[in-house]
Structures are given as structure tokens and as C-alpha cells.
Amino acid sequence: MKEEKLVGKGIVKTYGGKNVLHDVDLELEKGKIYGLIGRNGAGKTTLLSILSAQNPATRGTVTCNGMPVWENREALDHICFSREINPVSNGANGYKVKDYLKAASIYMPNWDKEMADRLVKEFELDVKKKIAKLSKGMLSMVTIIIALASKADYTFLDEPVAGLDVVMREYFYRVLLEEFTQSGRTFVISTHIIEEAADVFEEVIILDKGKVILKENTEELLERAVHVSGLAESVDTVTAGLQTFHEEKTGRSKGVTVLLGEGEKIPESTEVSMQQMNLQQVFVSLCGKSES
């Protein structure tokens, strides 16, 4: 029996002599929604393009259900990377929306035309309009329709809500969860709008400077992330020996983020303030610039 996982091992990607990805190991299990977050230039799009065989790795391997993905139609039938559309660079300039969706339906063996038609209607998308004439939000709608209607076991979306207003973003996440619940597909969503997407992510993958620095169940991560603030000496006392990040100093006071390990606790103290953190705050603490 084949393993139902998408696995990247030792992935390196080099552009112009500079490594964009550094020995990335990543395992995506069937039936989860992953959030892929990182700063601009961290390598998120490059990683997704390599995992979906749209871009060759300089070194390393990618397998889907035990099969290599590179130039392997059988494996690629299980994967869809619906990325941001650039009408000029990808040759879609003269295509109408209906032509673009038709091409996707031919390429994707499990295409769900009924779902695509329903989403077109819900998004109020004019299928006779040329791709080149679409707004950023409308282009995002097209990428979302392709991703969801592909019915691919492993579906990657790169900044899917870019340009969408809050009503359409809410609609997208609702439809995504409905599809996930019904199908058990694996989704990887790369987004900068972390706070509103956090509740959707079962697991979060944080990419920083081309390296995966964290891959963890979102709920468990937030349970062990604590912001500790107060007089510097008091903060140092209660956090001694613990893993701390993102030190912020103001006069004699300071704040740090603590990631508690198994069995670790912060000693109770009236000298410091302790607060649980949301995913965006944890991300900034791990990948942002320290103020010390």
C-alpha cells in the first residue's frame, strides 16, 4: 500500500548562485489544511512550485504517495498549484475567463464542472471577460475556482484572497472548509493575511530565509506561546532557561515571546504580565526584527 503523503526531502533551489531554499524537508499528510507563512522573499512560492513540479529543484526530491512528481503524469494528477495569475507573463493575455477555465478542465483529470459553474455564479464573475481586463480581486477568484474545482488531492493556493473584499474572503474560507470536510483533500494556503486565516489552519508551516523553522499543529503552538513583559530583571528571572524570541526594550522594561517546551512552565510572578498570543503575533516574534 502506497503512503498517502507528499514529501519533499533536501530541497535546495539556487538562482544566480544564491540559495533561495536551503535543504528543506517537508511532509504533507493527507486530509489537512496547512498554512504556509513567511515574509516576502522567504521562498514560499518557490517551494510550492517545486512541490507541484512547476519548477525543478536544484537538489532534492519530491514524492507524492511514494511516486516522484517530476515529469510523472500519474503523480501530478493528484496535485494542483493554483497560483496568482499574471496575464502578461503566462500567455493568458488574449484568453477569456471561460477559455482559461476550459483549459484547466482539460489539464485536471478530476475537474468538477458543476462546482466551477457554481463558484463563477457566486463570485459574479463575467466569463466572457478577458483575463487581461480583470481586476486583482477577479484574478484571485479565477485562481480559487481552479483550485477548488480541480478536486486535486493536494491543492496549493498562493495568496488566494489577494484583492478580495472582506465579504468574498469570508465566502472563500467557508467554501474551502465545506470542500475540505466533504472531500478530505489536503490544502496548503500561503497568505499574508494571517489573523483571519489562522482558525482555518490545522497546521502552520513557517518559512524564514528559505528554511522551514517551524511546522506544528496551530492550536498546540498557540498554547505554548506566551508574551512576557515587565521590568527587564523580572522578565529575565522568570524566563531563565526558556526559549525566548523577539526582545523589545523600553527604558527599564522589556517584553519577550516564550515558546514553552514539553513540561515547561513560566514561574508565577506578580512582577510580570503574561499573555497568550495569536498566530500573527507568534509569526512576527519568530520572523520579525528584534528591537533590542
Side-chain angles (χ1 to χ4, degrees), residues 40 92 97 99 190 209 221 267:
N40 288 337
V97 172
D99 301 325
S190 171
K209 298 173 185 172
L221 171 64

Side-chain angles (χ1 to χ4, degrees), residues 54-77:
Q54 292 187 14
N55 190 355
T58 304
R59 289 200 310 275
T61 61
V62 182
T63 58
C64 177
N65 300 340
M67 301 177 286
V69 303
W70 187 252
E71 295 184 337
N72 183 352
R73 184 74 262 160
E74 187 181 353
L76 291 174
D77 283 348

Side-chain angles (χ1 to χ4, degrees), residues 31-211:
K32 285 187 177 181
I33 299 179
Y34 294 90
L36 176 62
I37 59 178
R39 297 181 67 186
N40 288 337
K44 302 185 299 297
T45 302
T46 301
L47 177 59
L48 293 179
S49 66
I50 290 172
L51 293 176
S52 57
Q54 292 187 14
N55 190 355
T58 304
R59 289 200 310 275
T61 61
V62 182
T63 58
C64 177
N65 300 340
M67 301 177 286
V69 303
W70 187 252
E71 295 184 337
N72 183 352
R73 184 74 262 160
E74 187 181 353
L76 291 174
D77 283 348
H78 296 275
I79 304 170
C80 172
F81 178 20
S82 190
R83 61 196 300 175
E84 191 174 7
I85 300 169
N86 184 328
V88 178
S89 67
N90 73 0
N93 208 28
Y95 276 68
K96 293 178 180 176
V97 172
K98 63 179 182 180
D99 301 325
Y100 202 77
L101 294 176
K102 177 70 173 175
S105 73
I106 294 169
Y107 185 73
M108 303 289 177
N110 299 310
W111 183 261
D112 186 337
K113 185 177 184 303
E114 187 179 324
M115 173 180 264
D117 291 344
R118 176 168 62 86
L119 291 174
V120 164
K121 187 176 179 182
E122 289 290 338
F123 279 131
E124 299 177 357
L125 200 57
D126 183 357
V127 294
K128 295 179 182 177
K129 207 165 188 176
K130 287 191 174 181
I131 292 287
K133 301 292 185 184
L134 297 183
S135 67
K136 188 173 180 66
M138 289 176 179
L139 288 170
S140 292
M141 293 172 191
V142 175
T143 64
I144 288 169
I145 291 167
I146 290 172
L148 294 176
S150 74
K151 291 289 184 175
D153 292 333
Y154 301 91
T155 302
F156 308 150
L157 295 100
D158 192 15
E159 299 294 344
V161 298
L164 294 185
D165 63 34
V166 66
V167 173
M168 281 304 175
R169 294 203 302 268
E170 287 278 339
Y171 174 71
F172 161 66
Y173 288 119
R174 190 171 77 246
V175 173
L176 174 74
L177 286 171
E178 287 172 1
E179 174 60 17
F180 171 71
T181 303
Q182 291 169 10
S183 68
R185 294 161 62 183
T186 298
F187 290 95
V188 181
I189 300 168
S190 171
T191 183
H192 282 95
I193 308 175
I194 298 170
E195 203 166 341
E196 69 179 27
D199 289 343
V200 173
F201 301 153
E202 182 175 350
E203 285 198 21
V204 61
I205 302 159
I206 298 181
L207 196 66
D208 188 41
K209 298 173 185 172
K211 297 179 181 179

